């Protein structure tokens, strides 16, 4: 191993050890991070990995399209999550460390991976190792990223960690003009996409593409100097990134592109008929208000976070009261990086400085969303922007850019000679003025409190979902004053350290150590507020409740609907199919059913909802309003939950002798709300039936036949139907184009029934009917991805061989001397 590699390995080791120390609170504990997305969702996805056999977690069978029968009356993204199988380190970690602790380790190790990527970017930009180390720390400790822990956005953090490496490999490609690095860029972007947070992946691709365009323009204007061959070569290598990314990511992108078309953000959704995505107001709801740029310097200027239901940390003085609907994170990156940023702008204005600055400014304007013409223009012209609703989510890009510029500034501030004294003197003056300005601002806030509050009264008195009252005004204003004073103190400490260094009171080692220590202390103070732990709730320890024990004895052909705020995920985790789970993106047909759903409609019957679970208190309040078809059959020993049985529930599949063609979907939804509609005798279809079925008025006294369920699995359902007349077999499962059907071994058409269910027409007789899930886009994407893996493996092998030959050649030259 070369000396260079050993030194880099030492830097990585110190960085990792430091992160393990700083995040020890969440790493070495039996408690769980108090974040709803972890407690209610992510924990359930990974908790069984620890007890599973490792061989079962790595299987080619996992590379198949998914259909989950337990969640949301059947849930799928057509195989878009199958790529998680490629993240073998994720699987190993969750298998080796028990949940919930494994969740924290997963987060921190990805923070380290991203920090290592920024370190490499800084080294590529020419910084020293200590400076690159600081750049990596900026990424790993910036509250803008770390506070995502508070939100429980585990896979968002994992996805962000890949972004620095994409920039690193792309820049390496531009420097060397070698195809392997451009291929590596596409490969990293694909694996980032595999981590399933597609908004972060989309924003990274957007920024990497912009970086490539700016870098190419710079090459054409300043480096190639009319060398057309070189220009065409670079353009071709940029296309390699795009093509290789698309082929590598195809196993996820192909099914997801198909899946997204008929979601509530698809082409025919909402107000965007024919266009797709969210309407403008919803898409821009989480735009960062311009005034919140002040929170880059004063982290508590608008409070610290949204107040979540349940227990809250005692070290947060005021919760977020800015103009966004709410926020679970903080727009702070540490004060030191911003104070170092002017130095490269003054003394080192090269391509890396301008590119990093462009990333910071461009992403901040993007994050402001509706408050700038820039984002509004992109929303109208750039494909994909309208699919996402949090423009502020792009703020991980400024963190990367700030890390690079801070590292360059760190090197410059440690130069005693070689810098223009007059310019550096101005920088020092600015460094000195900042704590004075912040202190005076705090004084002004105290003296002019009443006048200022009167100007912003409507905003500063705004209640949250969990707190209200005039006491909030003093609470929030006192927090502003407190945070201004803290920021002034940190700025003053940095100014004193730099002045002492310039006066020769300390050497480079002490200067660097003190500045890094100040940055760590500054960010740790904030981050500690967002790493709040609570005991693992009893329901998440894997033990079924008495209500679950009662329901689970019944067939999985039936569904359960927890209401009164009862979390459905624990039911699903214990093998109980639930009718509904909350997801921001739903299939359009399903969303329309949810919008009209009531307990007294026939919808519960045809969706196989047999059990309704109420809290005891809520049941006592609503029992008089419930339909007579719901009968209480079980009460938990503590009286906290009551189970009602739907006596009108339909079986998993049934035969209907009559159909009614209703082309207008609004009319169809209206009929389904009618309590007189009987899905046993008549079905609503969208096209004329291929068989002559009985008219609706003649079907009430006729039994079409029987259906027996032979096999009921996630991706395969086998039925045996015996019918005496032409009939429509209705299956109590969602209509979904990825499903295929056969009747007696011959392919049959699946038609939408009652807006949301699927059905197959049958002539009289005894029929073996099979439904199987096999969407075509997934199969195409799978083979494209595996082919790309093979190509990249071949290129890596070639690279290894070339380097080996190069080393042999150098050794031979040394021997001849």
């Amino acid at each position: 191993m070369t000396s260079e590699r050993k030194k880099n390995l030492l830097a990585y080791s110190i960085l990792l050890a430091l992160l393990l120390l700083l995040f020890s609170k969440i790493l070495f504990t039996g408690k769980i991070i108090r974040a709803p997305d972890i407690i209610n969702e992510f924990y359930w996805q990974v908790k069984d990995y620890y007890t599973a056999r490792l061989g079962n977690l790595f299987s080619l069978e996992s590379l198949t399209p998914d259909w989950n029968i337990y969640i949301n009356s059947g849930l799928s993204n057509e195989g878009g999550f199958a790529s998680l199988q490629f993240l073998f380190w994720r699987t190993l970690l969750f298998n080796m460390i028990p949940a919930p602790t494994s969740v924290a380790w997963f987060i921190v190790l990805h923070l380290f991976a991203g920090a290592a990527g920024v370190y490499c970017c800084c080294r590529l930009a020419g910084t020293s190792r200590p400076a690159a180390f600081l750049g990596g720390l900026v990424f790993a400790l910036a509250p803008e990223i770390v506070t995502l822990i508070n939100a429980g956005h585990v896979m968002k953090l994992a996805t962000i960690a890949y972004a620095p490496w994409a920039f690193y490999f792309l820049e390496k490609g531009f420097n060397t003009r070698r195809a392997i690095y451009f291929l590596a860029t596409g490969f990293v972007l694909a694996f980032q996409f595999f981590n399933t947070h597609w908004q972060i992946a989309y924003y990274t691709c957007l920024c990497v593409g912009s970086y490539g365009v700016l870098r190419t323009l710079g090459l054409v204007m300043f480096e190639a100097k009319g060398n057309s061959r070189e220009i065409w070569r670079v353009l071709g290598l940029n296309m390699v990134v795009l093509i290789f990314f698309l082929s590598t990511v195809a196993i996820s992108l192909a099914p997801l592109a198909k899946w997204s078309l008929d979601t509530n953000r698809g082409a025919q959704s909402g107000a965007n008929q024919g266009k797709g995505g969210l309407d403008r107001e919803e898409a821009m709801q989480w735009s960062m208000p311009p005034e919140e740029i002040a929170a880059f310097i004063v982290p508590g200027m608008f409070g610290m976070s949204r107040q979540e239901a349940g227990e809250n940390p005692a070290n947060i003085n005021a919760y977020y009261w800015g103009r966004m609907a709410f926020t679970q994170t903080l727009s702070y990156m540490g004060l030191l990086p911003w104070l170092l940023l002017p130095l490269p702008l003054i003394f080192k204005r090269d391509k890396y400085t301008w590119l990093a600055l462009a990333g910071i400014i461009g992403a901040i304007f993007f994050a402001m969303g509706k408050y700038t013409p820039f984002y509004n223009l992109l929303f109208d012209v750039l494909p994909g922007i309208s699919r996402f609703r949090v423009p502020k989510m792009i703020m991980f890009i400024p963190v990367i850019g700030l890390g690079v510029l801070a590292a360059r500034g760190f090197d410059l501030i440690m130069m005693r000679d070689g810098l223009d004294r007059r310019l550096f003197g101005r920088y020092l003056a600015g460094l000195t003025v900042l704590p004075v300005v912040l202190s005076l601002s705090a004084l002004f806030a105290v003296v002019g409190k009443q006048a200022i509050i009167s100007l912003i009264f409507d905003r500063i008195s705004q209640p949250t979902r969990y707190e209200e009252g005039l006491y909030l005004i003093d609470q929030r204003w006192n927090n502003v004053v407190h945070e201004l004073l803290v920021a002034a103190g940190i700025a003053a400490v940095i100014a004193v350290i730099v002045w002492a260094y310039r006066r020769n009171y300390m050497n480079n080692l002490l200067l660097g150590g003190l500045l890094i220590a100040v940055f760590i202390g500054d960010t740790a103070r904030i981050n500690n507020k967002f790493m709040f732990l609570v005991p693992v709730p009893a329901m998440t320890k894997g033990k079924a409740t008495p209500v679950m024990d009662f329901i689970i004895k019944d067939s999985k052909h039936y569904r359960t609907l927890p209401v009164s705020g009862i979390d459905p995920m624990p039911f699903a985790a214990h093998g109980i199919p639930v009718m509904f789970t909350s997801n921001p993106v739903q299939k359009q047909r399903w969303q329309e059913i949810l919008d009209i759903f009531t307990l007294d409609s026939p919808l519960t019957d045809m969706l196989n909802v047999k059990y309704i679970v109420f809290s005891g208190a809520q049941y006592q309040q609503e029992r008089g309003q419930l339909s007579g078809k719901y009968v209480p059959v079980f009460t938990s020993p503590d009286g906290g939950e009551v189970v009602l049985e739907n006596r009108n529930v339909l079986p998993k599949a049934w035969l209907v002798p009559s159909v009614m063609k209703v082309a207008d979907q609004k009319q169809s939804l209206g009929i389904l709300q009618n309590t007189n509609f009987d899905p046993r005798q008549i079905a609503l279809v969208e096209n004329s039936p291929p068989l002559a079925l009985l008219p609706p008025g003649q079907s009430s006294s006729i039994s079409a036949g029987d259906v027996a369920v032979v096999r009921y699995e996630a991706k395969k359902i086998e039925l045996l139907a015996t019918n005496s007349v032409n009939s429509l077999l209705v299956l109590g499962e969602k209509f979904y184009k990825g499903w295929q059907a056969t009747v007696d071994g011959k392919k049959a058409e699946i038609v939408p029934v009652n807006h949301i269910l699927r059905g197959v027409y049958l002539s009289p007789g005894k029929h073996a009917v099979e439904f199987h899930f096999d969407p075509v886009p997934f199969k195409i994407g799978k083979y494209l991805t595996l082919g790309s893996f093979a190509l990249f493996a071949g290129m890596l092998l070639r690279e290894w061989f070339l380097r080996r030959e190069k080393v042999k050649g150098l050794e031979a030259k040394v021997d001849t001397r």
Side-chain angles (χ1 to χ4, degrees):
M1 184 181 292
T2 65
S3 174
E4 178 79 9
R5 288 182 180 178
K6 287 180 179 179
K7 290 176 181 178
N8 285 335
L9 185 60
L10 177 62
Y12 296 146
S13 300
I14 296 172
L15 180 59
L16 178 59
L18 185 57
L19 293 184
L20 295 181
L21 176 64
L22 292 172
F23 290 100
S24 60
K25 177 181 177 180
I26 62 174
L27 291 174
F28 304 103
T29 179
K31 294 184 176 182
I32 191 169
I33 297 169
R34 194 227 50 188
D37 284 6
I38 291 176
I39 294 175
N40 298 333
E41 296 179 23
F42 194 78
Y43 173 86
W44 295 103
Q45 297 171 19
V46 302
K47 76 180 189 70
D48 292 331
Y49 278 58
Y50 184 68
T51 56
R53 291 181 59 185
L54 194 58
N56 294 338
L57 295 174
F58 293 100
S59 170
L60 290 178
E61 291 184 4
S62 298
L63 293 181
T64 57
D66 56 311
W67 184 273
N68 191 325
I69 63 173
Y70 298 105
I71 297 175
N72 221 17
S73 294
L75 185 69
S76 176
N77 50 44
E78 300 194 25
F81 283 172
S83 56
L84 288 171
Q85 179 75 1
F86 300 136
L87 307 180
F88 59 87
W89 49 88
R90 175 183 185 269
T91 305
L92 282 173
L93 187 147
F94 290 128
N95 182 255
M96 294 170 61
I97 303 175
T101 309
S102 59
V103 177
W105 278 91
F106 182 78
I107 291 170
V108 174
L109 290 176
H110 275 90
L111 288 174
F112 165 71
V118 174
Y119 172 93
C120 289
C121 287
C122 293
R123 292 290 289 157
L124 199 58
T127 72
S128 66
R129 282 190 185 83
F133 184 85
L134 173 64
L137 278 182
V138 170
F139 179 91
L141 300 182
E144 169 63 47
I145 291 178
V146 174
T147 54
L148 289 168
I149 295 173
N150 174 66
H153 292 171
V154 180
M155 295 311 295
K156 184 189 296 184
L157 281 161
T159 309
I160 287 172
Y162 286 79
W165 290 104
F167 289 106
Y168 170 75
F169 283 117
L170 184 59
E171 179 57 31
K172 192 85 170 174
F174 272 104
N175 285 344
T176 62
R177 309 288 199 271
R178 298 184 64 190
I180 185 65
Y181 293 114
F182 288 91
L183 288 172
T185 304
F187 199 73
V188 168
L189 290 174
F191 266 78
Q192 184 191 48
F193 195 92
F194 291 162
N195 278 267
T196 70
H197 201 288
W198 304 306
Q199 185 169 359
I200 294 295
Y202 175 82
Y203 286 168
T204 304
C205 288
L206 192 64
C207 294
V208 167
S210 300
Y211 185 97
V213 169
L214 291 174
R215 195 69 171 80
T216 302
L217 288 175
L219 183 144
V220 171
M221 296 171 63
F222 305 111
E223 297 180 38
K225 297 179 180 180
N227 186 340
S228 59
R229 182 177 179 181
E230 185 70 6
I231 292 170
W232 282 109
R233 174 177 171 79
V234 170
L235 289 174
L237 289 171
N238 275 285
M239 289 303 298
V240 165
V241 176
L242 176 62
I243 295 170
F244 190 66
F245 163 70
L246 292 175
S247 64
T248 307
V249 82
I251 192 171
S252 285
L253 190 58
L256 287 171
K258 167 68 167 50
W259 167 83
S260 67
L261 292 177
D262 58 348
T263 65
N264 53 2
R265 296 187 191 179
Q268 301 303 321
S269 63
N272 296 301
Q273 295 295 316
K275 179 183 177 183
L278 303 166
D279 62 46
R280 188 177 299 270
E281 182 58 33
E282 185 178 1
M284 300 185 188
Q285 188 174 6
W286 275 272
S287 299
M288 185 178 74
E291 67 270 16
E292 292 194 21
I293 288 178
F296 293 173
I297 305 298
V298 185
M301 182 65 77
F302 297 93
M304 290 294 182
S305 149
R306 155 188 165 191
Q307 184 180 13
E308 295 288 354
E311 188 180 356
N312 287 284
N315 57 358
I316 292 181
N317 297 325
Y319 291 95
Y320 178 75
W321 52 274
R323 283 197 281 169
M324 288 186 291
F326 63 82
T327 182
Q328 297 168 307
T329 61
L330 201 66
S331 302
Y332 189 60
M333 306 170 205
L335 189 55
L336 177 66
W338 290 111
L339 297 183
L340 293 175
L341 180 144
L343 287 169
L345 300 181
I346 298 171
F347 298 109
K348 206 163 188 177
R349 295 193 290 265
D350 60 8
K351 63 187 177 187
Y352 294 123
T353 293
W354 294 125
L355 285 167
L357 185 65
I360 294 171
I361 295 174
I364 289 174
F365 270 99
F366 187 101
M368 289 182 187
K370 64 183 178 183
Y371 300 107
T372 67
F374 174 62
Y375 189 85
N376 279 277
L377 176 64
L378 292 178
F379 184 85
D380 291 329
V381 302
L382 193 64
I385 291 287
S386 64
R387 262 63 177 182
F388 306 112
R389 63 176 183 171
V390 187
K392 186 182 179 296
M393 204 177 288
I394 202 172
M395 286 299 292
F396 68 96
I397 293 295
V399 174
I400 297 172
L402 187 61
V404 173
L405 290 183
R408 306 194 99 197
F410 187 85
D411 277 339
L412 290 166
I413 209 168
M414 286 200 277
M415 293 177 63
R416 294 188 188 275
D417 302 308
L419 299 179
D420 187 298
R421 288 179 175 267
R422 180 177 57 87
L423 291 177
F424 198 85
R426 291 180 180 177
Y427 168 75
L428 283 176
L431 207 61
T432 306
V433 167
L434 179 61
V436 176
V437 170
L438 290 171
S439 299
L440 290 175
S441 297
L443 178 62
F444 179 70
V446 173
V447 175
K449 175 180 176 180
Q450 297 305 322
I452 300 172
I453 286 177
S454 65
L455 294 174
I456 61 172
F457 180 82
D458 289 343
R459 171 49 51 190
I460 199 170
S461 63
Q462 189 75 20
T464 70
R465 288 184 291 176
Y466 306 107
E467 55 181 359
E468 60 181 341
L470 292 178
Y471 75 91
L472 291 174
I473 298 174
D474 283 337
Q475 180 194 86
R476 291 164 175 174
W477 195 251
N478 292 339
N479 186 67
V480 170
V481 174
H482 175 265
E483 290 299 324
L484 278 168
L485 291 173
V486 171
I490 295 170
V493 169
I494 294 171
V496 168
I497 291 171
V498 176
W499 273 104
Y501 172 75
R502 300 300 293 185
R503 296 286 184 178
N504 294 318
Y505 292 135
M506 64 178 71
N507 57 24
N508 283 15
L509 181 62
L510 183 58
L511 170 68
L514 287 175
L515 289 179
I516 289 176
V518 170
F519 174 73
I520 291 173
D522 178 23
T523 53
R525 178 183 79 91
I526 300 299
N527 291 336
N528 187 54
K529 299 176 186 292
F530 294 87
M531 293 187 288
F532 188 53
L533 298 169
V534 294
V536 180
M539 196 173 288
T540 64
K541 289 183 178 177
K543 184 178 179 181
T545 65
V547 164
M548 294 177 192
D549 287 335
F550 172 79
I551 295 174
I552 206 168
K553 296 174 185 177
D554 208 336
S555 170
K556 291 183 180 179
H557 299 175
Y558 297 108
R559 298 190 174 96
T560 295
L561 175 60
V563 294
S564 307
I566 298 172
D567 185 10
M569 289 303 294
F571 289 83
H574 284 91
I576 300 172
V578 294
M579 178 198 147
F580 170 71
T581 50
S582 178
N583 295 289
V585 182
Q586 302 276 16
K587 280 294 185 177
Q588 184 66 19
R589 286 177 180 266
W590 182 237
Q591 184 63 60
E592 289 164 352
I593 289 291
L594 295 176
D595 290 341
I596 67 164
F597 180 81
T598 59
L599 286 176
D600 60 353
S601 72
L603 291 171
T604 51
D605 309 337
M606 69 183 204
L607 290 170
N608 309 132
V609 179
K610 186 173 182 179
Y611 297 110
I612 315 290
V613 183
F614 274 91
S615 68
Q618 192 70 22
Y619 173 66
Q620 293 302 323
Q621 290 180 18
E622 299 188 14
R623 60 187 302 178
Q625 304 171 27
L626 292 171
S627 170
K629 67 182 181 181
Y630 298 112
V631 178
V633 291
F634 183 80
T635 301
S636 61
D638 63 358
E641 293 178 338
V642 178
V643 180
L644 307 183
E645 182 179 330
N646 176 12
R647 295 293 170 86
N648 290 355
V649 67
L650 284 161
K652 179 54 63 182
W654 66 97
L655 293 166
V656 178
S658 181
V659 300
M660 178 188 299
K661 179 184 173 183
V662 184
D664 186 340
Q665 294 192 1
K666 289 184 179 180
Q667 183 183 357
S668 177
L669 292 169
I671 295 172
L672 292 173
Q673 286 179 288
N674 192 324
T675 56
N676 293 322
F677 174 69
D678 186 359
R680 294 166 179 77
Q681 295 298 324
I682 191 169
L684 307 182
V685 295
E686 298 169 13
N687 296 294
S688 300
L691 302 175
L693 273 69
L694 293 173
Q698 298 181 19
S699 62
S700 59
S701 60
I702 295 176
S703 174
D706 299 311
V707 183
V709 179
V710 178
R711 183 178 183 181
Y712 180 67
E713 297 176 353
K715 291 177 284 189
K716 192 170 187 178
I717 301 171
E718 295 178 3
L719 308 170
L720 186 61
T722 305
N723 53 305
S724 57
V725 295
N726 289 337
S727 308
L728 176 63
L729 184 151
V730 183
L731 185 66
E733 297 286 334
K734 288 178 180 174
F735 173 78
Y736 204 92
K737 293 181 180 178
W739 283 88
Q740 299 178 22
T742 61
V743 175
D744 300 327
K746 297 179 181 179
K747 188 173 181 179
E749 180 186 5
I750 301 176
V751 299
V753 181
N754 296 344
H755 192 70
I756 190 59
L757 303 181
R758 64 183 94 132
V760 174
Y761 287 102
L762 299 176
S763 59
K766 195 171 186 177
H767 303 285
V769 183
E770 179 182 308
F771 293 86
H772 60 279
F773 191 57
D774 190 24
V776 174
F778 177 82
K779 289 192 288 189
I780 296 173
K782 175 180 175 179
Y783 291 116
L784 282 172
T785 293
L786 294 178
S788 293
F789 283 177
L791 172 62
F792 192 62
M795 290 296 291
L796 287 176
L797 187 63
R798 176 179 179 272
E799 184 74 9
W800 175 81
F801 180 78
L802 291 174
R803 289 194 178 190
R804 185 181 178 188
E805 292 299 310
K806 184 178 179 180
V807 170
K808 286 182 178 180
L810 291 173
E811 291 175 347
K813 286 184 180 180
V814 172
D815 291 340
T816 57
R817 291 176 185 175

